[in-house]
Amino acid sequence: MDIFAQIIAKELQLPQEWVENTLRLLDEGCTIPFISRYRKERTGGLDEVQIASISNLNERLKEISRRKETIVKTITEQERMTDELHHRIDATWDSTELEDIYLPFKPKRRTRAQAAREQGLEPLAEILMMQRELEATTAAARFVKGDVKDAASALQGAKDIVAETVSEDEESRQLVRQQFHRDAVIRSKVAAKKKDTDEAAKYYDYFDFREPLRRCSSHRLLAMRRGEAEGILRVNITTDDEQCISRLKRKYARGQGQCRKLVEEAVEDGYKRLLCPSIETEFAASSKEKADDEAIKVFSENLRQLLLSAPLGQKRVMGIDPGFRTGCKVVCLDAQGNLLHHEAIFPHPPINHTMQATMHLKKMIADYGIEAVAIGNGTASRETRQFVEDNIKNLVVEKGNNTSGNYDRQPADGNGHRIGIYVVSEDGASIYSASKLAREEFPDKDVTVRGAVSIGRRLLDPLAELVKIDPKSIGVGQYQHDVDQTKLRHSLDQTVEMCVNSVGIDLNTASQQLLTYVSGVGPTLAKNIVDYRREHGAFTSREQLKKVPRLGPAAFEQCAGFLRIRNAENPLDNSAVHPESYAVVEQMADDCGCTVTELVANKKKRDGIDITRYVGDNIGLPTLSDIMKELEKPGRDPRKKIEEFDFDPNVKEIDDLEEGMVLPGIVTNITNFGAFVDIGVHHDGLVHISQLANRYVKDPNDIVHLHQQVMVKVTGIDRRRNRISLSMKDV
């Protein structure tokens, strides 16, 4: 652990003590959210991102360590291990350097050099490398025997050995690697037979493309690699071959006469046939890995923002999955998201049962006390929103009316609440509606009803609903199907876990899927919690968690602080205060001459507390400060409040757009090259990173966030490819 801690601390520029303590906590089975929230004294207050970076680097170093063991074992079995070689392997933690050390010993398929060695030509190769004999043919004549028919064959075999030796030499590889680092160029060309096909059109920008590899952005590289995988593009990475060959010749060809000439020929052959392709493959892999990491980072940040989208809260909601020919699927949900009613209405062409749809819509609102409407953003979304708005925009639901609808036609005032209308992303709703989970929850309902339920629930609580869907199906990624899927899954799971635990979960209403992501819980315990809740009724205290089968002390320690119990007898059970700190809060209340409940309710008493008095061996100022913030507002939701949004009513199709128009839009996706914005024409426009602000922007997330409402100017329209260019400058 010490060497790992040193390396990680140096790379992340963190104090080694904090890193060592974090690694110990991780080895003890603590989760990242738990460490970040409840072990600040030991980690110096590292946040979840920093702890995740430590964890990921630790895993990478463990992988290198396992690779070292394999390499040492292989070389030892070949009886070629030396003390110096063993020391070099032990000393390096660079995977590229490690593989360079191992390369000459790595078992490989039968090569030309191997065949030459078997013919006894290695001494001749050594003679060539020493370059002392002016006439190499004379030396080669001594090796003409067996399968070696003449001196020319002997010299060719010796050259093959020299070529492989040069290609496997660490200094040679580093020399060529440096050249690639400096001036490698990535090129793509369209395959001739694919040039005029429809599937090739989206790769038009890469039909004849070249760019220095070090400047090639991740989205361009991934686009080229996808085109290559589809057989549309041919992609390669090149450098200045002549310069590389010249430098290698100066290194190896230092003698005179025929030996020097033969070594130069071998060096050139080794470079072109072995060394250059190997380094090109290495750079193709490393550049792809870097692009993957950037794309995964973008996807994870978008997912984080999406999961932490503003919830409506516990309201009675109508969810509508809009459609033309098949009608609009409508569901009515109670404040907990339970399905109360469903039906289909047909207000749009070609059926046009507008009056009937209006009557049914108003009846459902009245019968089920609907307080808000969630409309999917797919086909017919704009038309459905207009239909709903025209018919219910002035309806008012009275306060406290939970079972029936008593409305009037007057605008909302102090005696009631106007029914809000919200457009909700449908991405992934069809995936959920056809999933095993949806079938288990609604076995007698078809996929359209399940999809509408998902749309309604996304308005109530996006986090609780979206955790049921594979993040890759949510539609906020960048080339997510082209990146390393293991890395992507790991990163997305970490993101979901962090979001769930940062918000906190209602223990008595959370689904099994949501509970799965709570710190220390996992799928098995999540099922056990739900089963226990179903059998024994709602939890009344966190202590009851200890009665759940297989939820032992370690799991309780990890999860308890992130699970909330509304209206619990102990108000701390509905807060982020961990049970291990209850005694401290109780001591504070005793010292103030009141109960914990009174302490939570009385700001004056809290303001009078000197938290330094409560510092102890197991609790410090960071935790005490967190406790005081939580007592101020127990169970606070860190998410923002939801806002309604309207598109420009005069713009519905791409043909309605004109350059120079300024329109309202909503951010649907963020990439490292800009942000996509929905302006209500069925095709998202792109605000390039250079058009986000009147200043240099390094990261689009510094300017915009997912689902943000923005004003944009139309700067370009490509109707053939349905591409819209937008700007946020001076808007």
Side-chain angles (χ1 to χ4, degrees):
M1 183 182 289
D2 289 344
I3 184 64
F4 284 11
Q6 288 175 23
I7 295 169
I8 294 169
K10 183 177 180 181
E11 184 160 340
L12 298 181
Q13 296 184 329
L14 294 172
Q16 187 172 328
E17 181 185 358
W18 296 359
V19 174
E20 287 175 351
N21 288 340
T22 301
L23 291 176
R24 288 192 184 94
L25 289 166
L26 289 168
D27 284 347
E28 290 168 9
C30 296
T31 66
I32 292 171
F34 176 82
I35 297 170
S36 171
R37 174 77 194 188
Y38 297 113
R39 293 295 179 264
K40 291 182 178 179
E41 285 81 0
R42 292 181 63 181
T43 66
L46 297 178
D47 61 30
E48 289 180 328
V49 175
Q50 292 170 311
I51 296 169
S53 296
I54 291 172
S55 176
N56 293 338
L57 273 174
N58 186 47
E59 290 304 314
R60 193 180 78 189
L61 291 171
K62 285 181 179 178
E63 192 175 315
I64 292 174
S65 181
R66 290 191 290 269
R67 180 62 175 158
K68 284 185 178 186
E69 292 174 3
T70 300
I71 289 172
V72 168
K73 181 181 178 183
T74 302
I75 298 175
T76 302
E77 288 174 351
Q78 295 175 7
E79 298 182 353
R80 300 167 70 183
M81 180 61 73
T82 64
D83 291 342
E84 181 186 357
L85 183 58
H86 205 305
H87 176 73
R88 290 194 62 206
I89 293 171
D90 281 343
T92 185
W93 290 97
D94 181 283
S95 56
T96 300
E97 182 182 355
L98 182 63
E99 294 303 326
D100 277 354
I101 294 171
Y102 180 46
L103 187 59
F105 308 94
K106 190 175 183 178
K108 55 180 78 72
R109 60 178 176 80
R110 184 177 173 80
T111 63
R112 284 161 46 175
Q114 183 60 33
R117 289 189 182 95
E118 291 171 359
Q119 292 171 348
L121 296 175
E122 191 153 20
L124 179 58
E126 292 172 358
I127 291 172
L128 295 185
M129 290 290 282
M130 287 188 292
Q131 301 169 52
R132 291 177 183 169
E133 295 198 24
L134 297 178
E135 186 54 58
T137 306
T138 303
R142 301 199 297 268
F143 295 88
V144 177
K145 57 184 176 180
D147 293 334
V148 183
K149 297 179 181 178
D150 50 37
S153 298
L155 289 173
Q156 183 57 53
K159 283 165 60 180
D160 289 340
I161 294 172
V162 172
E164 185 171 278
T165 301
V166 168
S167 74
E168 293 182 347
D169 179 71
E170 287 181 57
E171 291 185 9
S172 299
R173 296 181 70 81
Q174 197 57 32
L175 181 151
V176 175
R177 203 175 274 128
Q178 289 168 358
Q179 186 72 32
F180 267 77
H181 272 300
R182 280 197 302 271
D183 63 12
V185 172
I186 185 166
R187 291 182 170 90
S188 71
K189 294 232 178 230
V190 65
K193 62 182 180 180
K194 295 276 191 177
K195 185 174 183 180
D196 299 319
T197 61
D198 291 340
E199 61 264 32
K202 60 184 175 182
Y203 297 108
Y204 177 78
D205 295 341
Y206 303 102
F207 278 11
D208 188 7
F209 179 87
R210 72 186 302 277
E211 183 176 34
L213 182 62
R214 68 177 183 274
R215 294 216 309 263
C216 186
S217 63
S218 67
H219 67 273
R220 286 200 291 273
L221 190 140
L222 290 171
M224 283 185 275
R225 291 301 182 192
R226 177 186 285 181
E228 181 182 41
E230 294 176 4
I232 293 168
L233 301 177
R234 293 193 179 93
V235 182
N236 65 344
I237 297 172
T238 59
T239 189
D240 188 335
D241 292 337
E242 294 304 317
Q243 190 169 350
C244 284
I245 292 170
S246 176
R247 292 179 68 189
L248 288 170
K249 284 181 177 178
R250 288 199 299 272
K251 173 177 171 58
Y252 290 101
R254 297 186 299 270
Q256 300 294 326
Q258 188 183 16
C259 283
R260 177 189 175 113
K261 182 170 182 278
L262 291 170
V263 168
E264 287 180 339
E265 291 173 358
V267 166
E268 186 166 349
D269 172 56
Y271 172 79
K272 291 181 176 179
R273 181 168 57 87
L274 301 171
L275 184 49
C276 182
S278 173
I279 300 299
E280 180 184 349
T281 299
E282 180 182 302
F283 271 72
S286 62
S287 62
K288 171 67 164 55
E289 182 178 12
K290 182 181 177 183
D292 283 2
D293 290 344
E294 288 187 29
I296 290 170
K297 181 180 178 182
V298 168
F299 194 170
S300 297
E301 175 57 23
N302 283 351
L303 178 63
R304 185 191 69 80
Q305 293 184 24
L306 184 64
L307 293 175
L308 296 180
S309 296
L312 181 66
Q314 294 194 341
K315 306 277 187 181
R316 297 179 302 284
V317 165
M318 174 181 287
I320 304 179
D321 184 359
F324 287 116
R325 183 181 56 82
T326 57
C328 298
K329 279 65 68 180
V330 185
V331 298
C332 298
L333 310 176
D334 68 15
Q336 285 72 44
N338 298 309
L339 178 61
L340 303 174
H341 173 77
H342 68 89
E343 66 178 83
I345 58 175
F346 299 85
H348 309 308
I351 298 178
N352 285 320
H353 288 172
T354 308
M355 187 169 293
Q356 184 185 66
T358 300
M359 292 172 57
H360 282 247
L361 182 74
K362 292 180 177 179
K363 187 176 187 302
M364 283 185 279
I365 290 172
D367 288 348
Y368 299 101
I370 297 302
E371 298 171 273
V373 178
I375 302 171
N377 68 342
T379 304
S381 176
R382 292 286 301 274
E383 294 78 3
T384 302
R385 182 194 172 104
Q386 191 64 54
F387 163 74
V388 173
E389 194 171 68
D390 289 345
N391 285 285
I392 71 167
K393 60 183 176 183
N394 292 322
L395 289 179
V396 179
V397 59
E398 291 185 354
K399 285 185 177 180
N401 182 9
N402 296 320
T403 58
S404 63
N406 295 318
Y407 307 97
D408 60 30
R409 277 290 188 172
Q410 301 304 313
D413 56 22
N415 296 317
H417 304 289
R418 184 178 65 82
I419 299 172
I421 304 173
Y422 305 87
V423 175
V424 177
S425 171
E426 289 184 7
D427 288 331
S430 59
I431 302 295
Y432 163 75
S433 61
S435 68
K436 179 184 177 186
L437 172 62
R439 292 195 301 272
E440 289 175 350
E441 188 172 6
F442 302 108
D444 58 340
K445 303 294 187 291
D446 64 26
V447 292
T448 60
V449 174
R450 298 171 193 157
V453 170
S454 182
I455 289 169
R457 286 176 173 175
R458 289 184 189 199
L459 178 61
L460 289 171
D461 190 340
L463 177 61
E465 189 62 19
L466 291 172
V467 294
K468 302 174 183 177
I469 304 167
D470 184 341
K472 289 190 295 182
S473 303
I474 295 177
V476 293
Q478 175 189 343
Y479 296 100
Q480 62 261 38
H481 299 293
D482 302 292
V483 303
D484 185 308
Q485 295 300 294
T486 302
K487 273 188 180 180
L488 177 62
R489 168 54 62 187
H490 175 68
S491 178
L492 297 185
D493 283 346
Q494 271 191 348
T495 300
V496 176
E497 182 183 32
M498 290 178 189
C499 289
V500 168
N501 290 286
S502 69
V503 171
I505 300 304
D506 188 327
L507 180 57
N508 287 319
T509 61
S511 67
Q512 182 177 326
Q513 292 68 38
L514 190 58
L515 287 166
T516 297
Y517 288 101
V518 172
S519 170
V521 176
T524 301
L525 285 181
K527 183 177 184 304
N528 291 352
I529 289 171
V530 171
D531 289 345
Y532 183 90
R533 191 173 68 196
R534 188 180 297 119
E535 182 180 349
H536 297 90
F539 287 88
T540 57
S541 73
R542 281 173 169 165
E543 279 296 310
Q544 272 186 279
L545 280 166
K546 295 178 179 178
K547 298 179 181 179
V548 173
R550 300 182 66 181
L551 202 156
F556 179 82
E557 178 187 57
Q558 296 296 308
C559 75
F562 302 104
L563 295 169
R564 313 277 193 266
I565 301 173
R566 295 178 187 270
N567 303 314
E569 182 179 345
N570 186 341
L572 299 181
D573 282 346
N574 189 36
S575 74
V577 178
H578 197 282
E580 66 188 8
S581 299
Y582 281 12
V584 173
V585 180
E586 289 163 0
Q587 185 61 55
M588 290 178 180
D590 284 344
D591 293 345
C592 291
C594 65
T595 65
V596 171
T597 301
E598 291 168 341
L599 183 64
V600 170
N602 193 320
K603 183 177 187 301
K604 187 176 180 180
K605 287 185 180 294
R606 293 197 307 274
D607 289 345
I609 295 174
D610 177 9
I611 60 174
T612 59
R613 294 176 51 203
Y614 302 96
V615 173
D617 293 337
N618 298 316
I619 189 168
L621 288 176
T623 296
L624 289 166
S625 297
D626 283 347
I627 288 172
M628 296 308 296
K629 288 177 185 176
E630 195 62 28
L631 292 179
E632 183 181 336
K633 191 176 179 181
R636 74 176 67 199
D637 193 321
R639 295 172 289 182
K640 295 180 180 179
K641 291 184 177 180
I642 194 167
E643 298 176 355
E644 292 186 53
F645 174 80
D646 289 314
F647 291 116
D648 188 314
N650 300 312
V651 175
K652 297 180 180 179
E653 305 290 341
I654 195 170
D655 290 335
D656 296 332
L657 295 178
E658 295 179 9
E659 289 191 21
M661 279 183 167
V662 176
L663 303 168
I666 189 162
V667 178
T668 58
N669 201 356
I670 300 173
T671 70
N672 55 9
F673 56 87
F676 287 93
V677 176
D678 182 1
I679 53 175
V681 296
H682 310 298
H683 301 284
D684 290 354
L686 173 65
V687 183
H688 189 267
I689 191 170
S690 63
Q691 297 297 313
L692 285 170
N694 288 313
R695 60 178 176 83
Y696 172 73
V697 177
K698 183 178 181 181
D699 182 356
N701 286 289
D702 294 338
I703 306 296
V704 293
H705 58 263
L706 216 58
H707 291 177
Q708 180 180 344
Q709 298 173 17
V710 295
M711 295 298 293
V712 293
K713 181 189 290 184
V714 179
T715 58
I717 310 164
D718 182 346
R719 289 183 169 85
R720 185 177 70 85
R721 294 194 288 175
N722 291 319
R723 291 189 177 181
I724 305 164
S725 299
L726 305 171
S727 174
M728 287 173 55
K729 287 184 174 180
D730 303 315
V731 178

